[in-house]
Structures are given as structure tokens and as C-alpha cells.
Amino acid sequence: MEVKVGPATLELVEGDITRQDTDAIVNAANQYLRPGGGVDGAIHRAGGPAIEAECRQLGGCPTGEARITTGGNLKARYVIHTVGPIYRDGFHREAELLASCYRESLKLAAAKGLKSVAFPSIATGVYGYPMADAAQIALTTILDYLAQNPEIKLVRLVLFGRLAFEVYEQTLTELSHRR
Ligand code: AR6
């Protein structure tokens, strides 16, 4: 599924983030920027040790912020590492911090002159963010960003498994009807 936002495209696909050929892929990292499980483990395995070595130089990343490294052996030239909130009950700034992850990642990509970025569904694995709520935040934040900033031409959300894809697809359908 895809929607146009001015000159830009927002695309939803079911797949594996490590295989994307966008200028950058986004990693669902931890505050220490140390290789973990989930998307993070898959990116470090596929990208090789250069990414971890660069991460070590960065000295961590606070929740809601983003940092950038090269892409090592990946097709993508860069990896943007962002740290989602660990979901507790929804009353600990989780929504604000999750929105910030998407916004800060896009800002960093634009500052580097990148034109295409692929995201996984940040925080919805180990960090426990409910998928439907996360989809709403991810999609509204990306749509708002693209509407206000013309530099990035393609944002692709890469959903892992049919269920995640369907939740995002339904949310984007509802949001498109409202716009
Ligand atoms: N491609 C796309 N999406 C994926 C892939 C993949 N290859 N693998 C898993 N997902 P998670 P988080 C989905 O746990 O919740 C790490 O240990 C997955 O189904 O990767 O932000 C870090 O070091 C889920 O919907 O990230 C942190 O400590 C989504 O990606 C912590 O996990 C995010 O799941 C971060 O947790």
C-alpha cells in the first residue's frame, strides 16, 4: 500500500528491514547502542562489525533521539539508530517519545541529504508498545513530517509478518480517509 504526500510517497510493505535498498534503514536500538535482539540483532548480523564499531564511538543515545552510522555490508548506505520507549502503561510519555523517534530519524536523514528511508515498527517488539497505538503514532508523525518537509521522497515502513502489516494498513486507510 502507498499514499502520496505532496511529492513524497509513504509505502507499507511486509518484509525484512535488513534487505531494503533505501538510502538509510532505521534500527530499533537501545540507549547503549549495543547490539541486542530483534531488528537490532538482525541489522548488526547483516551489516557486519563496522556498524558496532561506529556505534561504540557515539557513546549511546537517549530515548526518543537518533544517531547515524554507515551501513556496513547492507544495501542501505546508512543506518539510523533510534531508541524507542519501553512501554509501561501509556502514562510515561511513551507516545511523545515514540513520535520523537520517527521525527528525529527523518530530520537526521534530511540533514544528510538522504532521499529514502525505511523504518521498522519501533518499540513494538521487546519494548512492548501495543501495535495499533504504535501504528497510529508512526503514521501520523511520518505524514505530518512529509507534509512540512519536502526533502525526503520515500518513507517505507517495513512490517514484520502479516499481522503487523494489516494493523498498519488499516490505520493508514483510516488516516487517508480523514485527510
Ligand atoms: N525486519 C523488520 N521488522 C522486524 C524484524 C526485521 N528483520 N525483526 C523484528 N521485527 P524489536 P523494540 C519487528 O524487538 O521493541 C533490541 O534488543 C518486530 O516484530 O526489534 O524497539 C534492542 O537492542 C517488532 O514489531 O525492537 C533493544 O534493546 C518490531 O520489529 C530492544 O530490542 C520492533 O521489535 C528494542 O525493542
Side-chain angles (χ1 to χ4, degrees), residues 9 55 72 77 99 152:
T9 302
C55 280
R77 282 186 290 138
I152 295 176

Side-chain angles (χ1 to χ4, degrees), residues 15-18 28-30 34-40 42 84 120-128 131 158-160 164:
D16 179 347
I17 192 83
T18 64
N30 55 65
R34 296 277 183 210
V39 171
D40 193 13
S121 175
I122 308 289
T124 54
V126 175
Y127 282 0
M131 187 69 77
V158 182
L159 290 325
F160 203 57

Side-chain angles (χ1 to χ4, degrees), residues 35-54:
V39 171
D40 193 13
I43 288 176
H44 281 284
R45 273 194 304 277
I51 300 176
E52 186 179 351
E54 282 182 59

Side-chain angles (χ1 to χ4, degrees), residues 32-34 44 47-60 67-73 77-79 81 112:
Y32 312 102
L33 299 181
R34 296 277 183 210
H44 281 284
I51 300 176
E52 186 179 351
E54 282 182 59
C55 280
R56 226 179 263 132
Q57 304 298 314
L58 293 171
R67 301 287 185 269
I68 193 163
T69 66
T70 55
N73 304 326
R77 282 186 290 138
Y78 294 94
V79 177
H81 305 263
K112 273 267 177 196

